[in-house]
Amino acid sequence: MFISLHTHSDHSLRDGFQTVKDMLSYASALGQTAIALTDHGTMSGCGEGMRFADDYGIKFIPGCEHYLANDLTIKDKQVQHIVLLAMNATGYRNLNIITTLAHRPENFYRKPRIDMDILRKYNEGIICTTACIAGCQEKAKELKEIFGDRLYIEIHTNSLKDQKPANKHWLEIADKYDIPFYAAQDAHYTVRTQAEAQRSWTPYDYDNGDGQGYDVCDDYFLHTEEEVRRALSYLPQDVVDLSIKNTEVAANRCTFKMKYGEDHYPKSKYADPKLEVRRRVWAGCKEKGVDKDQHHINQIKHEIDVLGKVNYFDYFLLVSDLINWCKQKGIRTGVGRGSVVGSDVAYMMGITGVDPLAHKLIFERFAHTQRVSPPDIDTDVPRGKRQEVIQHIKDEYGQVYQVVTFGHMDDKAAIKRAAKALMIDHTTADKLCKQYDSIDAIVSAPPESKKQVMDKLQESEFGLWMDTARQFKGKIQNYGTHASAVVVLTTDP
């Protein structure tokens, strides 16, 4: 059975045209048992793939197509493509580390880049392939020394005029160095009929050196096994058979499955977190003069019991330490916002500044043993001090990463983007967007209400415009940074 192991979603910004769910749904409908996601330089779509793969009855393989540079110290735009797939938990962690390193300022030039030294250090648990026609086939010998039997050469199905001789040459390399090979279709969209829309979506031509890019063929879609066989029919039958079989062999070697519902909070520096929490709470009670108040004492006992069961002691200590540091540095913090103000423990530890008992606030809104999702503590600091606080967290606990956000194209943005792709005057698109709220509203509106637009465009042009906009709608158009959330790791990549 053919398994798609080289695919791109719209997380490959302005390049991949299919969503992760599109891929999962279509591969499942074809009866394929697994699919890999290998977006360019990012693993941002892997979380979605791992969360929803079971809904489609298919195995998801997290991966990434990276850019391999000869020398990271040189600002050279010449890079080769290389595909990496996570086989197990170690491989998934290493792949995340590789992707993180690729985006570091000292390695990033035009694209996130890696080199052989990074692969030598973090290759465990990873399958490596030589990728596409822009790949690293000529580095096969060196890559085999690093990856051993975890290296594969990809044989591609597209109809670029250079692809057939390239495939034959790559098979010679595979034979010379005893490297297994498998078929790949480098899918950037789901079905063939999306080729034109994808060309409109991509704002530049992926030229391979002789004028050949996505705009000269329409076969960068998810292939069936029959379509793979047809595309590779110029090769010996036994070679085609093996190239398909090896996709399943490689997929079966990838067994990583994300476990959800676990907590992976960073650990505080205290040997006995519960004891430290109790110490701080008791000190807070004395400071506030309620150390003999049975109402507070009973509530604190209850809360500490619950916080222990849900494993929040380290979290409270990390936040408490952060707020104490801010106070020492003269950085203002909020008195409390959200459900955490219902916690007497948080109040006594100085995390919040509101007495929950005096205001009859409910602790269980913040934490209880049946809560499905863990709570969070909103810690407000002045915007101008934000980076200083983040740097302190980095210094104290290791690596800190700001959370990515995804900007999806809404109706009006899709209309304007489609107009630009089809070279329709932007003032026409602007007028239409001011007049209507959605694509559906435009399509269903009577012609006389769209007369100004329709006078400028043929009906067929207008229809193509709206159809293209529909296909653009919902696609990821940019990445952003969450206004407040950071992720803390206690180990340094």
Side-chain angles (χ1 to χ4, degrees), residues 75-95:
K75 291 184 176 181
D76 184 356
K77 68 179 182 179
Q78 297 300 317
V79 291
Q80 294 173 309
H81 295 205
I82 187 169
V83 168
L84 305 175
L85 305 176
M87 300 171 67
N88 49 40
T90 299
Y92 181 70
R93 176 169 176 74
N94 279 336
L95 189 49

Side-chain angles (χ1 to χ4, degrees), residues 435-436 445-452:
Q435 189 172 352
Y436 301 99
E448 56 269 19
S449 69
K450 299 177 290 190
K451 190 174 186 305
Q452 187 176 16

Side-chain angles (χ1 to χ4, degrees), residues 281-405:
V281 168
W282 182 245
C285 286
K286 284 189 172 182
E287 181 183 335
K288 292 174 172 58
V290 296
D291 53 310
K292 299 186 185 304
D293 186 319
Q294 199 61 43
H295 195 187
H296 277 285
I297 291 172
N298 291 341
Q299 179 63 23
I300 288 167
K301 285 181 179 179
H302 165 66
E303 290 188 18
I304 285 180
D305 179 60
V306 173
L307 293 173
K309 290 177 180 177
V310 295
N311 194 25
Y312 291 164
F313 290 137
D314 280 306
Y315 182 34
F316 266 58
L317 289 169
L318 263 64
V319 175
S320 175
D321 283 349
L322 176 62
I323 289 176
N324 288 337
W325 179 84
C326 287
K327 290 176 180 178
Q328 292 168 9
K329 296 294 182 179
I331 299 174
R332 291 180 293 118
T333 60
V335 297
R337 179 164 56 86
S339 61
V340 70
V341 294
S343 170
D344 209 19
V345 168
Y347 175 55
M348 297 304 170
M349 291 180 70
I351 292 173
T352 63
V354 177
D355 184 341
L357 302 190
H359 294 83
K360 298 181 180 180
L361 302 176
I362 301 172
F363 169 71
E364 279 69 23
R365 287 189 62 246
F366 173 73
H368 57 82
T369 55
Q370 301 303 313
R371 179 166 177 163
V372 176
S373 59
D376 64 325
I377 299 173
D378 294 308
T379 306
D380 298 311
V381 298
R383 182 174 296 180
K385 295 292 185 178
R386 177 176 170 75
Q387 287 305 315
E388 187 178 340
V389 174
I390 291 175
Q391 186 58 51
H392 167 70
I393 301 172
K394 288 182 179 181
D395 296 340
E396 192 73 11
Y397 298 108
Q399 290 299 309
V400 175
Y401 301 95
Q402 292 179 260
V403 175
V404 67
T405 59

Side-chain angles (χ1 to χ4, degrees), residues 18 89 110 123 127 129 139 142 147 151 192 234 287 336 371-372 403-404 412 421 427 440 457 461 464 480:
Q18 56 192 339
R110 300 170 72 99
N123 72 85
I127 282 177
T129 82
K139 295 184 183 293
E142 189 175 359
F147 289 93
L151 175 66
R192 188 188 295 273
Y234 58 92
E287 181 183 335
R371 179 166 177 163
V372 176
V403 175
V404 67
K412 292 186 177 182
T427 58
D440 288 341
L457 298 172
E461 292 178 300
L464 176 60

Side-chain angles (χ1 to χ4, degrees), residues 19 36 85 87 89 91 106 132 189 236 299 307 340 439 447 455 491 493:
T19 66
L85 305 176
M87 300 171 67
E106 63 269 27
C132 54
Y189 39 94
Q299 179 63 23
L307 293 173
V340 70
I439 299 170
D455 282 348
T491 56

Side-chain angles (χ1 to χ4, degrees), residues 14 28 43 50 167 189 223 253 281 301 376 442 489:
R14 296 296 176 86
S28 176
M43 295 176 65
M50 290 183 289
N167 280 346
Y189 39 94
H223 282 47
R253 298 179 72 182
V281 168
K301 285 181 179 179
D376 64 325
I442 294 170
L489 300 179

